[in-house]
Amino acid sequence: MANLKAIRTRIETVQSTGQITTAMRMVSASKLRKAQQALVAVQPYSDALLDVSGEVYSLVNQQEQNSVPNIKDDKKDALEQILLVVFSSNKGLCGPFNANVVKYTNELIKTSYRQHLQDGKLRIITIGKKAGEVLEKQELPVVAHYHDLLNHINHKDVFSLSGHLLEQFQSGIYQKIVLIYNRFKTVLTQELTELQFLPLLPSSPRTEIRQSSVDFIMEPDKETVLKWLYPRMLEMTLYRTFLESMTSEEGARMTAMQQASDNAAALLKELRLSYNKARQAAITGELLEIIAGAEALSNQ
């Protein structure tokens, strides 16, 4: 009976856990749909802005060398001051989402920025508590957190952060700023991505510069147009990165909760089978005792 009671307790526990994971999966699915809608809504404007910007910068580069502000040649004589902006989540229960970000960041530092770290030329900003906590425990140079921005992604707050990063870059505090985040591909697939935010690369994946087929008329003048356009490109790039990371997080969480629900269902099936076997064994034992007692009485 003690064994039956233990199995029955486990069944109740697994049932409760399965109900929780199923509910969490449904919540994540709802949040994922909203995140996907926000990402899909911003993509046309983002693509159009970056496409036009690429055309403009291509035209400017054809007319005048080194005319794009803040884009400069690599200097090999001295190490650059590097800033890594690492995106993770504020909450757990999303599978290997956060662990993969931390692992990718560590590998990137070891392979590309080891000397920068040793010489004090590397700084890290975290957006998401999970990666921030781990990186701080590893005693890496985390200088700032922007975890609250993930609670409600607002374009004004993101644009403000973009402006702050641009100011630090223009003032010479950092010579290179890199974004590390999960790029959303499908619900089941998130792609860890390293994107150079500043200085803007002419051949960056999102701002591919090609031979311009449009002869732009820039009014009131080229400098004013570029001065306005450059921050807009950075703002949209950062905002889209926030949405990509959030969508990837909800996709990873929904997948993790689905797997947890499936595991709970499989375990529940095994426990019920074990319970039925144990119950049948107990009934058989009781019947044998009754038969043995009846035979003992009849032999007296």
Side-chain angles (χ1 to χ4, degrees), residues 140-185:
L140 290 173
V142 179
V143 295
H145 308 281
Y146 292 92
H147 305 330
D148 293 341
L149 295 180
L150 292 179
N151 295 331
H152 178 67
I153 298 179
N154 184 284
H155 70 278
K156 293 182 179 179
D157 297 332
V158 176
F159 289 179
S160 177
L161 175 58
S162 176
H164 177 63
L165 295 177
L166 179 58
E167 289 176 2
Q168 290 187 318
F169 176 77
Q170 290 176 329
S171 63
I173 297 177
Y174 302 110
Q175 284 77 54
K176 184 178 179 181
I177 300 178
V178 178
L179 309 179
I180 299 174
Y181 67 101
N182 276 283
R183 186 177 182 184
F184 181 78
K185 297 188 72 175

Side-chain angles (χ1 to χ4, degrees), residues 65-76:
Q65 292 295 326
N66 301 323
S67 63
V68 181
N70 301 322
I71 296 182
K72 53 187 178 181
D73 295 331
D74 291 334
K75 296 181 179 180
K76 304 297 183 181

